[in-house]
Amino acid sequence: MCGIVGIIGNEPVAPLLVDALKRLEYRGYDSAGVATLEEGQIARRRAEGKLKNLASRLNEAPLYGMIGIGHTRWATHGKPTEQNAHPHATDKVAVVHNGIIENFKALRDELRADGAVFQSETDSEVVAHLVTRELKRVNDPVVAVRNILPKLHGAFALGFLFAGENDLLIGARKGAPLAVGYGDDGMYLGSDAFALAPFTDRVAYLNEGDWTVIRRNGAEFYDAGNVLVERRIITTQVGSGLVDKGNHRHFMAKEIHEQPEVIGRTIAHYIDMATGDVRLPTDIPFNFKDIRRICLSACGTASLAGLTARYWFERLAKLPVEVDVASEFRYRELPLDKDTLTLFVSQSGETADTLASLRYAKEHGATTLSVVNVATSTMARESDVVMPTLAGPEIGVASTKAFTCQLTVLAALAIFAGVQRGTLSQERARELAQQLIASPGQVADALLLESKIEQVAHKLAKARDVLYLGRGASFPLALEGALKLKELSYIHAEGYAAGELKHGPIALVDEQMPVIVIAPRDHWFEKTVSNMQEVAARGGQIIVIGPKGTAVNAALTPIASIDMPDVVTEFAAIAYSVPVQLLAYYTASIMGKDVDQPRNLAKSVTVE
Ligand code: F6R
């Protein structure tokens, strides 16, 4: 993870580096730093914590150099302290790094034996010392970098700045993205085109293994074999404006409220509103009739969208689905064949484990289909079939609107599969499509419950542990509720299949334990209500999310009821996501937590 940037400009670059880093904070926000050349010497400012700390450090002690590099960090090796913040530097070179140098221990021992003194606990610092040692030998920065790159094992995007070199930046890429920007006022290096968008829309991407030498008048590219190569400059469509919060206090609140609109937009992309038939916007190179099973792989919330969709594919298309978190899938050595469809779900399209799973599936001859939100992402580029979610940019670290749009696309795909496999009649498929079309309205109705949910959140904010229960397609939502509460409020929470509780976890239930029961009126409703009775009998503090009257009809007195629209729909998980998201949002807000950037997390997880 981590975001890197470099600028050769005609004015002091430190404020510009900070602007670019703001756009890379989704890659990490543990610490940040910049280095520029001040009268030919490397000068650094670094700060622990969010980028605003670096900005205040620069206000107190400005830098004036017209060439520089910057970094925003998600810690892998070494705590997120100022000492471990990038750039790492010697008096000869400063380096910013995204990725992991896997052989750093061996390199560090070797460099220490040669007299290098390390100042941080990071893997990245070895790169600065390797270049410094090589510079003593070859006295040429370009040759020095070229010579040390093959020594680095692992994944990296690197940016280098050299003492005494006012017109030289070097970048290198292996396993992590890097782009060169061509501006009117300078040349740029960055982790992505979005970071460079305030300066230029003309970028050239480095290919895997490439390294680049950037000067004011342009850039040269070399491939992994050090052969001079051409890399095409393209004009990107990335807007230079930063997405703002509108009238909301947080991006997360804004994104929760955008759901009726973005789910509606996604539905319109997949359902022909005139006929009510699901239609896929791209041709698919297979027929679901020939598919024997789906293997679905994703991480975190995206994997829970997949787990929900499993119920839909199995019920509607009679198609077995295996769901794995991608960090397991990639190493499971799962046998794949041409009758297996591999399905990947990702907001960013860059998540390292999901991408590695996709590549595994391709190498093993399976057809790959990805549901992604970022249309220009690596996963979108590498998949056989791409089904976009039209959620728009999601800035809050906790996924909300991307999740419900993933559910929407997967629901449409399950209907489509059912029709192709003959398990759904045309009429039933249209009925189901109508249920999906109704979901933005149900989401909007659920949003009207916001102030009630805020009151309930006051109760959760006092809890030490919380249980979420659900059955069937609501079971993954119970897991999602617990995940959201944990990541935003740092309250311990667990999600369980409601029927599983009595096999152990019910021992946790007492008068202190809020138990949130997700109970839409679906195939599993009566069973869920019975499980609720079991919790009540043990003094559990029940919070029901279900149709009005659920608790009263069951003669229960919950501590709170969140009365959802009473509709029968196969796709209740979409509308029921809203109270789950709002509960976590308000609980964390009441507790004064940073809901948009929770501790230890990053929006895009590009390391395994
Ligand atoms: C949790 C959350 C994460 C992501 C996960 C996958 O709220 O957002 O669990 O869902 O890191 O990210 P993507 O979807 O970008 O692959």
PDB file of all heavy atoms in Angstrom, residues 298-304 345-352 354 371 373-374 379 394 396-400 402-403 406 480 483-484 487-488 601-605, ligand 1:
ATOM      1  N   ALA A 298     -13.082 -12.823  -2.783  1.00  0.00           N
ATOM      2  CA  ALA A 298     -13.036 -11.383  -2.530  1.00  0.00           C
ATOM      3  C   ALA A 298     -12.549 -11.184  -1.099  1.00  0.00           C
ATOM      4  O   ALA A 298     -12.324 -12.163  -0.377  1.00  0.00           O
ATOM      5  CB  ALA A 298     -14.427 -10.765  -2.712  1.00  0.00           C
ATOM      6  N   CYS A 299     -12.405  -9.946  -0.683  1.00  0.00           N
ATOM      7  CA  CYS A 299     -11.943  -9.657   0.681  1.00  0.00           C
ATOM      8  C   CYS A 299     -12.973  -8.808   1.425  1.00  0.00           C
ATOM      9  O   CYS A 299     -13.661  -7.988   0.812  1.00  0.00           O
ATOM     10  CB  CYS A 299     -10.639  -8.863   0.661  1.00  0.00           C
ATOM     11  SG  CYS A 299      -9.298  -9.759  -0.074  1.00  0.00           S
ATOM     12  N   GLY A 300     -13.021  -8.972   2.728  1.00  0.00           N
ATOM     13  CA  GLY A 300     -13.794  -8.088   3.604  1.00  0.00           C
ATOM     14  C   GLY A 300     -15.242  -7.978   3.175  1.00  0.00           C
ATOM     15  O   GLY A 300     -15.915  -8.972   2.862  1.00  0.00           O
ATOM     16  N   THR A 301     -15.722  -6.743   3.166  1.00  0.00           N
ATOM     17  CA  THR A 301     -17.117  -6.490   2.824  1.00  0.00           C
ATOM     18  C   THR A 301     -17.477  -7.043   1.446  1.00  0.00           C
ATOM     19  O   THR A 301     -18.576  -7.570   1.247  1.00  0.00           O
ATOM     20  CB  THR A 301     -17.365  -4.968   2.900  1.00  0.00           C
ATOM     21  OG1 THR A 301     -17.282  -4.598   4.283  1.00  0.00           O
ATOM     22  CG2 THR A 301     -18.707  -4.569   2.358  1.00  0.00           C
ATOM     23  N   ALA A 302     -16.551  -6.950   0.501  1.00  0.00           N
ATOM     24  CA  ALA A 302     -16.835  -7.462  -0.846  1.00  0.00           C
ATOM     25  C   ALA A 302     -17.073  -8.974  -0.801  1.00  0.00           C
ATOM     26  O   ALA A 302     -17.916  -9.509  -1.529  1.00  0.00           O
ATOM     27  CB  ALA A 302     -15.686  -7.124  -1.788  1.00  0.00           C
ATOM     28  N   SER A 303     -16.360  -9.673   0.089  1.00  0.00           N
ATOM     29  CA  SER A 303     -16.564 -11.125   0.180  1.00  0.00           C
ATOM     30  C   SER A 303     -17.942 -11.412   0.780  1.00  0.00           C
ATOM     31  O   SER A 303     -18.559 -12.435   0.484  1.00  0.00           O
ATOM     32  CB  SER A 303     -15.460 -11.792   1.001  1.00  0.00           C
ATOM     33  OG  SER A 303     -15.646 -11.551   2.378  1.00  0.00           O
ATOM     34  N   LEU A 304     -18.432 -10.492   1.629  1.00  0.00           N
ATOM     35  CA  LEU A 304     -19.754 -10.698   2.231  1.00  0.00           C
ATOM     36  C   LEU A 304     -20.862 -10.430   1.216  1.00  0.00           C
ATOM     37  O   LEU A 304     -21.929 -11.053   1.272  1.00  0.00           O
ATOM     38  CB  LEU A 304     -19.897  -9.840   3.489  1.00  0.00           C
ATOM     39  CG  LEU A 304     -18.857 -10.212   4.566  1.00  0.00           C
ATOM     40  CD1 LEU A 304     -18.926  -9.261   5.745  1.00  0.00           C
ATOM     41  CD2 LEU A 304     -19.048 -11.650   5.037  1.00  0.00           C
ATOM     42  N   VAL A 345     -15.008  -9.989  -6.629  1.00  0.00           N
ATOM     43  CA  VAL A 345     -15.782  -8.788  -6.282  1.00  0.00           C
ATOM     44  C   VAL A 345     -14.836  -7.820  -5.581  1.00  0.00           C
ATOM     45  O   VAL A 345     -14.143  -8.199  -4.629  1.00  0.00           O
ATOM     46  CB  VAL A 345     -16.953  -9.142  -5.331  1.00  0.00           C
ATOM     47  CG1 VAL A 345     -17.828  -7.913  -5.081  1.00  0.00           C
ATOM     48  CG2 VAL A 345     -17.791 -10.282  -5.897  1.00  0.00           C
ATOM     49  N   SER A 346     -14.800  -6.577  -6.056  1.00  0.00           N
ATOM     50  CA  SER A 346     -13.893  -5.605  -5.441  1.00  0.00           C
ATOM     51  C   SER A 346     -14.334  -4.183  -5.758  1.00  0.00           C
ATOM     52  O   SER A 346     -14.664  -3.882  -6.907  1.00  0.00           O
ATOM     53  CB  SER A 346     -12.473  -5.830  -5.972  1.00  0.00           C
ATOM     54  OG  SER A 346     -11.602  -4.861  -5.472  1.00  0.00           O
ATOM     55  N   GLN A 347     -14.347  -3.337  -4.750  1.00  0.00           N
ATOM     56  CA  GLN A 347     -14.610  -1.920  -4.992  1.00  0.00           C
ATOM     57  C   GLN A 347     -13.453  -1.328  -5.779  1.00  0.00           C
ATOM     58  O   GLN A 347     -13.632  -0.784  -6.851  1.00  0.00           O
ATOM     59  CB  GLN A 347     -14.788  -1.205  -3.642  1.00  0.00           C
ATOM     60  CG  GLN A 347     -15.258   0.241  -3.705  1.00  0.00           C
ATOM     61  CD  GLN A 347     -14.194   1.233  -4.138  1.00  0.00           C
ATOM     62  OE1 GLN A 347     -14.417   2.002  -5.089  1.00  0.00           O
ATOM     63  NE2 GLN A 347     -13.052   1.236  -3.522  1.00  0.00           N
ATOM     64  N   SER A 348     -12.241  -1.462  -5.218  1.00  0.00           N
ATOM     65  CA  SER A 348     -11.074  -0.786  -5.795  1.00  0.00           C
ATOM     66  C   SER A 348     -10.580  -1.451  -7.069  1.00  0.00           C
ATOM     67  O   SER A 348     -10.007  -0.795  -7.938  1.00  0.00           O
ATOM     68  CB  SER A 348      -9.929  -0.780  -4.786  1.00  0.00           C
ATOM     69  OG  SER A 348      -9.568  -2.120  -4.475  1.00  0.00           O
ATOM     70  N   GLY A 349     -10.748  -2.766  -7.156  1.00  0.00           N
ATOM     71  CA  GLY A 349     -10.166  -3.498  -8.285  1.00  0.00           C
ATOM     72  C   GLY A 349      -8.658  -3.625  -8.163  1.00  0.00           C
ATOM     73  O   GLY A 349      -7.981  -4.032  -9.113  1.00  0.00           O
ATOM     74  N   GLU A 350      -8.103  -3.277  -6.999  1.00  0.00           N
ATOM     75  CA  GLU A 350      -6.644  -3.330  -6.814  1.00  0.00           C
ATOM     76  C   GLU A 350      -6.246  -4.196  -5.623  1.00  0.00           C
ATOM     77  O   GLU A 350      -5.048  -4.341  -5.359  1.00  0.00           O
ATOM     78  CB  GLU A 350      -6.063  -1.920  -6.588  1.00  0.00           C
ATOM     79  CG  GLU A 350      -6.308  -0.917  -7.702  1.00  0.00           C
ATOM     80  CD  GLU A 350      -5.564  -1.237  -8.996  1.00  0.00           C
ATOM     81  OE1 GLU A 350      -4.676  -2.117  -8.975  1.00  0.00           O
ATOM     82  OE2 GLU A 350      -5.898  -0.639 -10.030  1.00  0.00           O
ATOM     83  N   THR A 351      -7.196  -4.732  -4.877  1.00  0.00           N
ATOM     84  CA  THR A 351      -6.873  -5.485  -3.661  1.00  0.00           C
ATOM     85  C   THR A 351      -5.932  -6.642  -4.005  1.00  0.00           C
ATOM     86  O   THR A 351      -6.257  -7.495  -4.847  1.00  0.00           O
ATOM     87  CB  THR A 351      -8.179  -5.997  -3.025  1.00  0.00           C
ATOM     88  OG1 THR A 351      -8.981  -4.853  -2.753  1.00  0.00           O
ATOM     89  CG2 THR A 351      -7.928  -6.751  -1.741  1.00  0.00           C
ATOM     90  N   ALA A 352      -4.763  -6.664  -3.345  1.00  0.00           N
ATOM     91  CA  ALA A 352      -3.684  -7.577  -3.758  1.00  0.00           C
ATOM     92  C   ALA A 352      -4.134  -9.035  -3.759  1.00  0.00           C
ATOM     93  O   ALA A 352      -3.864  -9.775  -4.715  1.00  0.00           O
ATOM     94  CB  ALA A 352      -2.486  -7.393  -2.843  1.00  0.00           C
ATOM     95  N   THR A 354      -7.179 -10.333  -3.919  1.00  0.00           N
ATOM     96  CA  THR A 354      -8.219 -10.636  -4.919  1.00  0.00           C
ATOM     97  C   THR A 354      -7.591 -10.677  -6.314  1.00  0.00           C
ATOM     98  O   THR A 354      -7.906 -11.548  -7.135  1.00  0.00           O
ATOM     99  CB  THR A 354      -9.353  -9.593  -4.853  1.00  0.00           C
ATOM    100  OG1 THR A 354      -9.702  -9.376  -3.486  1.00  0.00           O
ATOM    101  CG2 THR A 354     -10.577 -10.050  -5.611  1.00  0.00           C
ATOM    102  N   VAL A 371     -16.683  -8.159 -10.624  1.00  0.00           N
ATOM    103  CA  VAL A 371     -17.637  -7.088 -10.306  1.00  0.00           C
ATOM    104  C   VAL A 371     -16.803  -6.001  -9.620  1.00  0.00           C
ATOM    105  O   VAL A 371     -16.345  -6.196  -8.491  1.00  0.00           O
ATOM    106  CB  VAL A 371     -18.742  -7.630  -9.370  1.00  0.00           C
ATOM    107  CG1 VAL A 371     -19.671  -6.511  -8.933  1.00  0.00           C
ATOM    108  CG2 VAL A 371     -19.518  -8.745 -10.064  1.00  0.00           C
ATOM    109  N   ASN A 373     -15.794  -1.622  -8.974  1.00  0.00           N
ATOM    110  CA  ASN A 373     -16.325  -0.249  -8.987  1.00  0.00           C
ATOM    111  C   ASN A 373     -15.410   0.700  -9.769  1.00  0.00           C
ATOM    112  O   ASN A 373     -15.887   1.637 -10.378  1.00  0.00           O
ATOM    113  CB  ASN A 373     -16.494   0.250  -7.543  1.00  0.00           C
ATOM    114  CG  ASN A 373     -17.387   1.466  -7.481  1.00  0.00           C
ATOM    115  OD1 ASN A 373     -18.381   1.542  -8.221  1.00  0.00           O
ATOM    116  ND2 ASN A 373     -17.052   2.425  -6.659  1.00  0.00           N
ATOM    117  N   VAL A 374     -14.091   0.458  -9.702  1.00  0.00           N
ATOM    118  CA  VAL A 374     -13.161   1.367 -10.409  1.00  0.00           C
ATOM    119  C   VAL A 374     -12.887   0.771 -11.794  1.00  0.00           C
ATOM    120  O   VAL A 374     -12.173  -0.229 -11.934  1.00  0.00           O
ATOM    121  CB  VAL A 374     -11.862   1.569  -9.597  1.00  0.00           C
ATOM    122  CG1 VAL A 374     -10.920   2.498 -10.348  1.00  0.00           C
ATOM    123  CG2 VAL A 374     -12.193   2.140  -8.211  1.00  0.00           C
ATOM    124  N   MET A 379      -7.880  -5.087 -11.951  1.00  0.00           N
ATOM    125  CA  MET A 379      -8.782  -6.236 -12.078  1.00  0.00           C
ATOM    126  C   MET A 379      -9.713  -6.075 -13.273  1.00  0.00           C
ATOM    127  O   MET A 379      -9.985  -7.038 -13.993  1.00  0.00           O
ATOM    128  CB  MET A 379      -9.597  -6.414 -10.783  1.00  0.00           C
ATOM    129  CG  MET A 379      -8.769  -7.031  -9.673  1.00  0.00           C
ATOM    130  SD  MET A 379      -9.697  -7.150  -8.149  1.00  0.00           S
ATOM    131  CE  MET A 379     -10.990  -8.238  -8.663  1.00  0.00           C
ATOM    132  N   GLU A 394     -15.887   6.009  -3.890  1.00  0.00           N
ATOM    133  CA  GLU A 394     -16.194   5.769  -2.484  1.00  0.00           C
ATOM    134  C   GLU A 394     -14.951   6.172  -1.690  1.00  0.00           C
ATOM    135  O   GLU A 394     -13.888   5.583  -1.858  1.00  0.00           O
ATOM    136  CB  GLU A 394     -16.539   4.293  -2.259  1.00  0.00           C
ATOM    137  CG  GLU A 394     -17.130   4.031  -0.891  1.00  0.00           C
ATOM    138  CD  GLU A 394     -17.495   2.559  -0.695  1.00  0.00           C
ATOM    139  OE1 GLU A 394     -16.571   1.713  -0.695  1.00  0.00           O
ATOM    140  OE2 GLU A 394     -18.687   2.251  -0.548  1.00  0.00           O
ATOM    141  N   GLY A 396     -15.003   7.118   1.977  1.00  0.00           N
ATOM    142  CA  GLY A 396     -15.002   6.559   3.337  1.00  0.00           C
ATOM    143  C   GLY A 396     -14.349   5.180   3.291  1.00  0.00           C
ATOM    144  O   GLY A 396     -14.617   4.397   2.370  1.00  0.00           O
ATOM    145  N   VAL A 397     -13.501   4.905   4.275  1.00  0.00           N
ATOM    146  CA  VAL A 397     -12.778   3.625   4.230  1.00  0.00           C
ATOM    147  C   VAL A 397     -13.746   2.444   4.327  1.00  0.00           C
ATOM    148  O   VAL A 397     -13.563   1.422   3.677  1.00  0.00           O
ATOM    149  CB  VAL A 397     -11.696   3.595   5.341  1.00  0.00           C
ATOM    150  CG1 VAL A 397     -11.244   2.178   5.635  1.00  0.00           C
ATOM    151  CG2 VAL A 397     -10.508   4.439   4.903  1.00  0.00           C
ATOM    152  N   ALA A 398     -14.792   2.589   5.132  1.00  0.00           N
ATOM    153  CA  ALA A 398     -15.760   1.497   5.256  1.00  0.00           C
ATOM    154  C   ALA A 398     -16.661   1.487   4.023  1.00  0.00           C
ATOM    155  O   ALA A 398     -17.288   2.486   3.689  1.00  0.00           O
ATOM    156  CB  ALA A 398     -16.593   1.697   6.515  1.00  0.00           C
ATOM    157  N   SER A 399     -16.714   0.344   3.385  1.00  0.00           N
ATOM    158  CA  SER A 399     -17.497   0.240   2.158  1.00  0.00           C
ATOM    159  C   SER A 399     -18.996   0.236   2.474  1.00  0.00           C
ATOM    160  O   SER A 399     -19.449  -0.517   3.329  1.00  0.00           O
ATOM    161  CB  SER A 399     -17.108  -1.060   1.456  1.00  0.00           C
ATOM    162  OG  SER A 399     -17.735  -1.119   0.217  1.00  0.00           O
ATOM    163  N   THR A 400     -19.757   1.086   1.805  1.00  0.00           N
ATOM    164  CA  THR A 400     -21.208   1.140   2.022  1.00  0.00           C
ATOM    165  C   THR A 400     -21.942   1.053   0.683  1.00  0.00           C
ATOM    166  O   THR A 400     -22.491   0.013   0.327  1.00  0.00           O
ATOM    167  CB  THR A 400     -21.605   2.443   2.752  1.00  0.00           C
ATOM    168  OG1 THR A 400     -21.052   3.568   2.057  1.00  0.00           O
ATOM    169  CG2 THR A 400     -21.154   2.426   4.192  1.00  0.00           C
ATOM    170  N   ALA A 402     -20.695   0.911  -2.249  1.00  0.00           N
ATOM    171  CA  ALA A 402     -20.104  -0.087  -3.157  1.00  0.00           C
ATOM    172  C   ALA A 402     -20.685  -1.460  -2.839  1.00  0.00           C
ATOM    173  O   ALA A 402     -20.990  -2.250  -3.743  1.00  0.00           O
ATOM    174  CB  ALA A 402     -18.586  -0.094  -3.026  1.00  0.00           C
ATOM    175  N   PHE A 403     -20.872  -1.734  -1.543  1.00  0.00           N
ATOM    176  CA  PHE A 403     -21.421  -3.034  -1.109  1.00  0.00           C
ATOM    177  C   PHE A 403     -22.831  -3.241  -1.674  1.00  0.00           C
ATOM    178  O   PHE A 403     -23.126  -4.278  -2.276  1.00  0.00           O
ATOM    179  CB  PHE A 403     -21.437  -3.077   0.422  1.00  0.00           C
ATOM    180  CG  PHE A 403     -22.099  -4.285   1.021  1.00  0.00           C
ATOM    181  CD1 PHE A 403     -21.552  -5.550   0.865  1.00  0.00           C
ATOM    182  CD2 PHE A 403     -23.268  -4.156   1.772  1.00  0.00           C
ATOM    183  CE1 PHE A 403     -22.157  -6.678   1.440  1.00  0.00           C
ATOM    184  CE2 PHE A 403     -23.870  -5.275   2.347  1.00  0.00           C
ATOM    185  CZ  PHE A 403     -23.318  -6.535   2.177  1.00  0.00           C
ATOM    186  N   GLN A 406     -22.705  -3.826  -5.261  1.00  0.00           N
ATOM    187  CA  GLN A 406     -22.224  -5.192  -5.558  1.00  0.00           C
ATOM    188  C   GLN A 406     -23.373  -6.183  -5.419  1.00  0.00           C
ATOM    189  O   GLN A 406     -23.569  -7.064  -6.269  1.00  0.00           O
ATOM    190  CB  GLN A 406     -21.094  -5.577  -4.579  1.00  0.00           C
ATOM    191  CG  GLN A 406     -19.776  -4.881  -4.873  1.00  0.00           C
ATOM    192  CD  GLN A 406     -18.820  -4.844  -3.675  1.00  0.00           C
ATOM    193  OE1 GLN A 406     -19.157  -5.281  -2.572  1.00  0.00           O
ATOM    194  NE2 GLN A 406     -17.634  -4.303  -3.890  1.00  0.00           N
ATOM    195  N   GLU A 480     -21.472  -8.676   8.163  1.00  0.00           N
ATOM    196  CA  GLU A 480     -21.140  -7.317   7.708  1.00  0.00           C
ATOM    197  C   GLU A 480     -21.416  -6.288   8.815  1.00  0.00           C
ATOM    198  O   GLU A 480     -20.632  -5.356   9.018  1.00  0.00           O
ATOM    199  CB  GLU A 480     -21.946  -7.014   6.433  1.00  0.00           C
ATOM    200  CG  GLU A 480     -21.928  -5.568   5.946  1.00  0.00           C
ATOM    201  CD  GLU A 480     -20.571  -5.048   5.520  1.00  0.00           C
ATOM    202  OE1 GLU A 480     -19.578  -5.789   5.595  1.00  0.00           O
ATOM    203  OE2 GLU A 480     -20.501  -3.870   5.147  1.00  0.00           O
ATOM    204  N   LEU A 483     -18.616  -6.557  11.241  1.00  0.00           N
ATOM    205  CA  LEU A 483     -17.389  -5.992  10.649  1.00  0.00           C
ATOM    206  C   LEU A 483     -17.434  -4.459  10.688  1.00  0.00           C
ATOM    207  O   LEU A 483     -16.467  -3.800  11.096  1.00  0.00           O
ATOM    208  CB  LEU A 483     -17.245  -6.498   9.205  1.00  0.00           C
ATOM    209  CG  LEU A 483     -16.143  -5.883   8.340  1.00  0.00           C
ATOM    210  CD1 LEU A 483     -14.769  -6.098   8.962  1.00  0.00           C
ATOM    211  CD2 LEU A 483     -16.153  -6.493   6.934  1.00  0.00           C
ATOM    212  N   LYS A 484     -18.565  -3.893  10.294  1.00  0.00           N
ATOM    213  CA  LYS A 484     -18.684  -2.435  10.258  1.00  0.00           C
ATOM    214  C   LYS A 484     -18.522  -1.850  11.668  1.00  0.00           C
ATOM    215  O   LYS A 484     -17.844  -0.846  11.860  1.00  0.00           O
ATOM    216  CB  LYS A 484     -20.061  -2.011   9.727  1.00  0.00           C
ATOM    217  CG  LYS A 484     -20.225  -2.064   8.239  1.00  0.00           C
ATOM    218  CD  LYS A 484     -19.545  -0.893   7.574  1.00  0.00           C
ATOM    219  CE  LYS A 484     -19.342  -1.111   6.087  1.00  0.00           C
ATOM    220  NZ  LYS A 484     -18.416  -2.177   5.725  1.00  0.00           N
ATOM    221  N   GLU A 487     -14.794  -2.138  12.814  1.00  0.00           N
ATOM    222  CA  GLU A 487     -13.801  -1.295  12.157  1.00  0.00           C
ATOM    223  C   GLU A 487     -14.012   0.191  12.441  1.00  0.00           C
ATOM    224  O   GLU A 487     -13.066   0.965  12.416  1.00  0.00           O
ATOM    225  CB  GLU A 487     -13.739  -1.558  10.647  1.00  0.00           C
ATOM    226  CG  GLU A 487     -14.931  -1.096   9.861  1.00  0.00           C
ATOM    227  CD  GLU A 487     -14.791  -1.360   8.364  1.00  0.00           C
ATOM    228  OE1 GLU A 487     -13.685  -1.250   7.828  1.00  0.00           O
ATOM    229  OE2 GLU A 487     -15.816  -1.659   7.733  1.00  0.00           O
ATOM    230  N   LEU A 488     -15.266   0.575  12.736  1.00  0.00           N
ATOM    231  CA  LEU A 488     -15.523   2.009  12.940  1.00  0.00           C
ATOM    232  C   LEU A 488     -15.478   2.413  14.403  1.00  0.00           C
ATOM    233  O   LEU A 488     -14.998   3.489  14.738  1.00  0.00           O
ATOM    234  CB  LEU A 488     -16.888   2.389  12.362  1.00  0.00           C
ATOM    235  CG  LEU A 488     -17.039   2.222  10.851  1.00  0.00           C
ATOM    236  CD1 LEU A 488     -18.453   2.561  10.433  1.00  0.00           C
ATOM    237  CD2 LEU A 488     -16.055   3.096  10.103  1.00  0.00           C
ATOM    238  N   LEU A 601      -6.354   1.143   9.198  1.00  0.00           N
ATOM    239  CA  LEU A 601      -6.933   0.677   7.929  1.00  0.00           C
ATOM    240  C   LEU A 601      -6.478   1.528   6.752  1.00  0.00           C
ATOM    241  O   LEU A 601      -5.871   2.579   6.925  1.00  0.00           O
ATOM    242  CB  LEU A 601      -8.462   0.717   8.008  1.00  0.00           C
ATOM    243  CG  LEU A 601      -9.108  -0.180   9.057  1.00  0.00           C
ATOM    244  CD1 LEU A 601     -10.613   0.004   9.062  1.00  0.00           C
ATOM    245  CD2 LEU A 601      -8.768  -1.631   8.782  1.00  0.00           C
ATOM    246  N   ALA A 602      -6.771   1.047   5.556  1.00  0.00           N
ATOM    247  CA  ALA A 602      -6.588   1.840   4.340  1.00  0.00           C
ATOM    248  C   ALA A 602      -7.700   1.445   3.388  1.00  0.00           C
ATOM    249  O   ALA A 602      -8.234   0.343   3.476  1.00  0.00           O
ATOM    250  CB  ALA A 602      -5.243   1.546   3.711  1.00  0.00           C
ATOM    251  N   LYS A 603      -8.029   2.348   2.502  1.00  0.00           N
ATOM    252  CA  LYS A 603      -9.141   2.068   1.582  1.00  0.00           C
ATOM    253  C   LYS A 603      -8.764   0.978   0.579  1.00  0.00           C
ATOM    254  O   LYS A 603      -9.576   0.154   0.217  1.00  0.00           O
ATOM    255  CB  LYS A 603      -9.515   3.369   0.856  1.00  0.00           C
ATOM    256  CG  LYS A 603     -10.709   3.255  -0.078  1.00  0.00           C
ATOM    257  CD  LYS A 603     -11.993   3.106   0.690  1.00  0.00           C
ATOM    258  CE  LYS A 603     -13.197   2.899  -0.199  1.00  0.00           C
ATOM    259  NZ  LYS A 603     -14.280   2.235   0.553  1.00  0.00           N
ATOM    260  N   SER A 604      -7.546   1.042   0.113  1.00  0.00           N
ATOM    261  CA  SER A 604      -7.158   0.095  -0.924  1.00  0.00           C
ATOM    262  C   SER A 604      -5.995  -0.736  -0.398  1.00  0.00           C
ATOM    263  O   SER A 604      -4.943  -0.187  -0.074  1.00  0.00           O
ATOM    264  CB  SER A 604      -6.762   0.908  -2.161  1.00  0.00           C
ATOM    265  OG  SER A 604      -6.444   0.070  -3.206  1.00  0.00           O
ATOM    266  N   VAL A 605      -6.200  -2.036  -0.291  1.00  0.00           N
ATOM    267  CA  VAL A 605      -5.201  -2.888   0.374  1.00  0.00           C
ATOM    268  C   VAL A 605      -4.368  -3.591  -0.692  1.00  0.00           C
ATOM    269  O   VAL A 605      -4.701  -4.680  -1.145  1.00  0.00           O
ATOM    270  CB  VAL A 605      -5.889  -3.901   1.312  1.00  0.00           C
ATOM    271  CG1 VAL A 605      -4.864  -4.728   2.070  1.00  0.00           C
ATOM    272  CG2 VAL A 605      -6.775  -3.173   2.312  1.00  0.00           C
TER     273      VAL A 605
HETATM  274  C1  F6R B   1     -14.843  -2.841   5.053  1.00  0.00           C
HETATM  275  C2  F6R B   1     -14.157  -2.696   3.783  1.00  0.00           C
HETATM  276  C3  F6R B   1     -13.155  -3.720   3.409  1.00  0.00           C
HETATM  277  C4  F6R B   1     -13.121  -3.926   1.875  1.00  0.00           C
HETATM  278  C5  F6R B   1     -11.997  -4.905   1.501  1.00  0.00           C
HETATM  279  C6  F6R B   1     -11.976  -5.205   0.012  1.00  0.00           C
HETATM  280  O1  F6R B   1     -15.786  -1.832   5.248  1.00  0.00           O
HETATM  281  O2  F6R B   1     -14.362  -1.745   3.063  1.00  0.00           O
HETATM  282  O3  F6R B   1     -13.384  -4.929   4.070  1.00  0.00           O
HETATM  283  O4  F6R B   1     -14.365  -4.412   1.460  1.00  0.00           O
HETATM  284  O5  F6R B   1     -10.759  -4.365   1.887  1.00  0.00           O
HETATM  285  O6  F6R B   1     -11.717  -4.062  -0.738  1.00  0.00           O
HETATM  286  P1  F6R B   1     -12.074  -4.011  -2.269  1.00  0.00           P
HETATM  287  O7  F6R B   1     -13.546  -4.086  -2.375  1.00  0.00           O
HETATM  288  O8  F6R B   1     -11.517  -2.702  -2.759  1.00  0.00           O
HETATM  289  O9  F6R B   1     -11.417  -5.199  -2.914  1.00  0.00           O
END
